[in-house]
Amino acid sequence: MSATEPPSRAKAQSDVMVGTRLNDPEREAKGRRDLAEAKIAAAVKRALAVAPPLTPAQVKRLSALLKGGR
């Protein structure tokens, strides 16, 4: 997996399930973070595919949401 590609949804779901089954909270937590990233990345890609080009100010505001988590 490269730095620009999110983890696959299937791999993340597998890590959540395996971590839960093996009582491995670190693996489960990583799987949950990766699953959230995969879902967010897919939603952003879908939205950008149908949206007109964003202005630099819009990109800046959206980037701030991701950086701040709000």
Side-chain angles (χ1 to χ4, degrees), residues 23-37:
N23 196 24
D24 182 347
E26 289 181 26
R27 185 170 184 174
E28 180 184 354
K30 180 184 181 311
R32 289 188 187 282
R33 285 191 305 272
D34 288 350
L35 183 56
E37 179 187 358

Side-chain angles (χ1 to χ4, degrees), residues 3 5-7 9 13 15 28 31-32 36 45-46 53 55 58-59 65-66 68-69:
E5 288 298 314
R9 189 174 180 147
Q13 287 174 323
D15 283 344
E28 180 184 354
R32 289 188 187 282
K45 286 179 183 180
R46 283 192 306 273
T55 66
Q58 291 170 322
V59 170
L65 284 174
L66 290 173

Side-chain angles (χ1 to χ4, degrees):
M1 171 178 24
S2 74
T4 59
E5 288 298 314
S8 75
R9 189 174 180 147
K11 171 68 169 116
Q13 287 174 323
S14 172
D15 283 344
V16 171
M17 291 184 288
V18 171
T20 302
R21 187 173 62 244
L22 298 179
N23 196 24
D24 182 347
E26 289 181 26
R27 185 170 184 174
E28 180 184 354
K30 180 184 181 311
R32 289 188 187 282
R33 285 191 305 272
D34 288 350
L35 183 56
E37 179 187 358
K39 287 179 178 181
I40 293 166
V44 169
K45 286 179 183 180
R46 283 192 306 273
L48 291 175
V50 297
L54 299 174
T55 66
Q58 291 170 322
V59 170
K60 185 176 179 178
R61 285 192 299 271
L62 291 171
S63 296
L65 284 174
L66 290 173
K67 290 178 183 177
R70 300 172 195 222

